[in-house]
Amino acid sequence: APGAATRDAFAAARVVVGAHGGALANFAYAHNSTVVLEIGKTTGKGARGPRWCFACMAQAMRFPAYAVFDAANFTYGAPEIAVDVDALRRFWEGRVRRLLGAGASREYF
C-alpha cells in the first residue's frame, strides 16, 4: 500500500500523467474528476499490444476522461521509456486539454 504522501498527492491531483505500470494504479486515490493520461500502447497484438486495465478502472470509477498516449517503441516492464515530448504536447493540446474545462463529458480514448 502506498504511503500517506502518495495518497495525498493523488487525492489533490487534477491531472495524472504516468507510464503504464503498477504505480499508475495509485490514481485510485484521486478524485473522480481527475483526468488521467497514460503513456503506453494503443496498437499492436498480444503481449506487445495495448493493455486496457487502467482505462477500465477509470471507467468503472467514473473518471471524466482517460487517454492513452501511444509512445513509440514503448515496452512494458522496461526500466526506462523514451517519449517524444513534442508528440505528447500535440496529443495533450489536441485531445486532452479541452477535457479540463467545466462540464467535460466522460471520454475514453
Side-chain angles (χ1 to χ4, degrees), residues 69 83-94:
F69 173 73
V83 174
D84 180 337
V85 176
D86 290 330
L88 180 58
R89 183 178 295 117
R90 286 189 303 273
F91 182 78
W92 177 267
E93 293 295 331

Side-chain angles (χ1 to χ4, degrees), residues 11-66:
R14 183 153 184 234
V15 175
V16 172
V17 178
H20 180 93
L24 190 58
N26 286 315
F27 81 78
Y29 297 103
H31 188 272
N32 69 356
S33 64
T34 303
V35 172
V36 182
L37 173 57
E38 175 184 341
I39 298 171
K41 299 293 290 178
T42 61
T43 59
K45 294 183 180 180
R48 294 186 179 160
R51 297 181 183 174
W52 300 111
C53 52
F54 295 126
C56 292
M57 182 176 147
Q59 187 173 20
M61 295 177 68
R62 301 195 182 279
F63 278 68
Y66 191 96

